[in-house]
Amino acid sequence: MLERLRQITQEVSLASDTQQALQIVVDKVCATLGSEVASVYLADYPNQQLVLMATEGLNPKAAGVLHLSFNEGIVGLIAQREEPINLEDASSHPNFHYFPEAGEEPFKAFIGAPIIHQRKVMGVLVAQQKERRRFSEMEENFLVTLAAQLAGIIAESKRRDKLTDSSGQYHVVRKLSGFPAASGVAIGAAVVFYPPADLSGIPDKEAKSTAAELKRINKAFRLARAEIEQMKQRMQHHLAAEELSLFDAYAKVLDEKGLQRDVIREIDMGHWAPGALRRAVEQHTRIFETMEDPYFRERATDLVDLARRVLVHLEDDKTARPKLKRQAILVAEEITAGLLAELPTEKIKGMISMRGSPTSHAAILAKALGIPAVCGLDNVPINRFEGQEIILDGYKGDIFLSPNEGLRKQYQQLIKEDVLISRDLEQYNSAPALTTDGFHLPLLVNAGLIADFEKSVDVGADGVGLYRTEIPFLMREQFPGEEEQVRIYRAALEAFKGKSVTFRTLDIGGDKQLSYFPIQEDNPFLGWRGIRVTLDHPEIFLVQIRAILKASIGYSGIRISLPMIASIEEVDESLRLIDQAYYEVQSEVSPAVIKPPEVGIILEVPSAMYQIASLVNRIDFISVGSNDLAQYLLAVDRNNTRVSSLYSAYHPAVMRALHFIRQQINKNETGLYLCGEMAGDPMAAVVLLGMGYDALSMNARSIPKIKKVLAQFSLQESQTIAEQVIQLEKAKDIYDLLFHHLVTRGLGGLIRAGH
Ligand code: PEP
Ligand code: MG
């Protein structure tokens, strides 16, 4: 059964549209259960009905025509109850009802399972048989499992249909929803950036010159064949002749009579080389993958791998690389610091990252650059965006493809309002962050890119609360050496002359991967991250601390913060290494010029909350990393789009944890800051002020906004609000309360222009 399920889902996922996918399902269900009928009904919510979409055994003409209201028949009951029904004799069931007009007979045996995706009933999968019989437990399990697997595939397939109509042309207006990653609105043409050598993401395009494409592909195949030959040579002494023959088989796949011939045929039909390669491979793999024999399925994997090698050589061809010549909306599977580093950021109007969530690093980078962004559109093939006109709403997380004039006007108005709000906020650049009763809350910046420093100085930040040192590391091809790091850190100190700068030690792992130091784990956020990596590699840690100390010569207010601290041993070991680096540097330079840095931790692992009494004896400050703290408190991966709706800084547990932390720390002895994304959220900032946090660190662009918010509240008012917040039981209630407070003070526009 498992093998059968695997085959069906694989075939379904290869279907070109939803209709074809459903037809495959019903055919396969009949074949597997030996039933006379199998049908899929899909829910049509606006009309409150279930529509027969595909059937094997009933009249095919009834597909798309026959519909039942939500409470009609046994099918309706399955949808309503959200559970399977297995009947030996359906005709004796009170809900029994049949449709002769659809070619239905009073079938006896009946089994049905709901198709549910992310808590929503998408439809019902049914099998029927004339004879009286009870479907076995195994058959029932098969249907339920298939329906559960189908739900995701159907949801994805429907999303694809939304983007392309049946003729393969793009629809007039289509809306997609992701997560708001960076506020603002952008209108522009999409430019899609494909990950290197990702075959499946390649779009179909017409070749400008068939001769040029043929030349490119022949060269790429030649290079790939040479590579295989080299691999064979290298392995000559390590493998037996029999095993070595595998390389000959590979070379054969790549030779002129194999894959290359089919690719050339596609190019001759007018396709550009990468598209032709993808098409030829798809044709082959479709055949391989549906074969029962595992040997042939393996060959499909080999073929894709070989084709990828060819693609690498095609993409090496500089002319094939996408460029950002004019202003555009950047679309990529994952927007990384590396990708941004290669592009002129002033040309990026907006960014769409298929992966990620509002606190993923793609989102953090977008906010730092002030570029509206949407992320988390998992399973939408990026090639569908190619060449499309797009409206991107970074407040709501919506994307509109090929918008009509009305919608475009509406959004142009919103952009105008945004500009007015930004202009209004400029007056706060030079103003201190004061409440109505004159309380000063220091606002610091989270930095990492050079662009951050420039912006931070413009908006009058009180210092750097979080320098993410991994960002310069992410943009290099190898670990930067001590001298290079000194130059990087000194640039930050120079930009912030006289103000404090908190350097967080290298925080890699999780979703921050260095290309030159890959960490592969099943649970990266629970794995080798932050301080865990650097304590295991004291040579990396020591060089970094030495560089920070050397860069700090001549400056004051240098702080070091340690990410992902979960235990006291980690603090002690880090302090020992920091001491060691300090004495080493001191012995190298004149002792008078180097001061010991203040050291603190990023409180982001919940275990640290319960060790505050021990921590404060050792360190100078605590900075709450609310992005990760919320992730670990709620057990919600901050990058997993399936569960992103469960991730909220307004969750009562998060709010109460922040309050608890404040209660544990003596106000005059240890500084307590917060450096997660919520610091720059106008609603959360009011609560943090009220709770008594000593400073907030946020992306530079949020600073004027937060100054404006603070200027509308007294310290006393914010304290009352914080007290109310920690009493509330639901994230939505907390959100609504704060939203109300901001809107009544005329600050709704800071949450979304137009309010
Ligand atoms: C945090 O976790 O809140 C934080 C500031 O660090 P990062 O987002 O870089 O993990
Ligand atoms: Mg963190």
Side-chain angles (χ1 to χ4, degrees), residues 361 364 466 468 470 504 507 512 529 604 625-628 638 675-676:
H361 290 88
I364 289 169
L466 170 65
R468 291 186 165 97
E470 62 279 1
R504 177 174 71 183
D507 187 15
K512 286 174 282 192
R529 263 198 90 180
E604 51 192 345
S626 55
N627 302 339
D628 278 313
R638 64 196 258 195
C675 61

Side-chain angles (χ1 to χ4, degrees), residues 600-653:
I601 66 151
I602 307 285
L603 196 162
E604 51 192 345
V605 180
S607 66
M609 283 169 50
Y610 303 100
Q611 303 175 81
I612 288 176
S614 312
L615 287 166
V616 294
N617 290 332
R618 292 167 162 84
I619 52 172
D620 303 301
F621 65 93
I622 287 180
S623 186
V624 176
S626 55
N627 302 339
D628 278 313
L629 185 63
Q631 153 167 271
Y632 295 126
L633 275 177
L634 304 175
V636 177
D637 176 345
R638 64 196 258 195
N639 277 346
N640 182 344
T641 42
R642 252 192 221 154
V643 288
S644 295
S645 59
L646 304 177
Y647 181 100
S648 168
Y650 303 110
H651 193 292

Side-chain angles (χ1 to χ4, degrees), residues 664-683:
Q664 302 295 305
I665 299 173
N666 190 329
K667 203 148 175 74
N668 302 319
E669 283 170 12
T670 311
L672 176 62
Y673 321 121
L674 187 135
C675 61
E677 288 309 291
M678 65 189 293
D681 171 342
M683 302 199 289

Side-chain angles (χ1 to χ4, degrees), residues 19 22 39-55 58 61-70 72 75-76 79 99 115 122-126 158:
Q19 198 49 44
L22 298 181
S39 312
V40 175
Y41 296 81
L42 290 190
D44 166 10
Y45 279 93
N47 297 310
Q48 292 284 298
Q49 58 188 17
L50 286 154
V51 184
L52 175 73
M53 293 304 291
T55 181
L58 300 186
K61 290 207 178 105
V65 179
L66 177 70
H67 54 261
L68 291 76
S69 70
F70 274 169
E72 198 175 350
V75 172
F99 299 90
I115 303 169
M122 304 198 59
V124 177
L125 174 60
V126 168
K158 283 183 109 182

Side-chain angles (χ1 to χ4, degrees), residues 187 391 404-416:
I187 304 178
I391 292 179
N404 58 24
E405 204 38 43
L407 198 65
R408 185 196 299 268
K409 281 219 173 91
Q410 209 177 313
Y411 271 93
Q412 273 162 346
Q413 180 59 29
L414 215 56
I415 292 176
K416 272 191 203 142

Side-chain angles (χ1 to χ4, degrees), residues 33 78 169 221 455 472 737:
L33 300 183
I78 294 170
Q169 296 303 306
F221 266 95
K455 186 73 196 163
L737 174 84

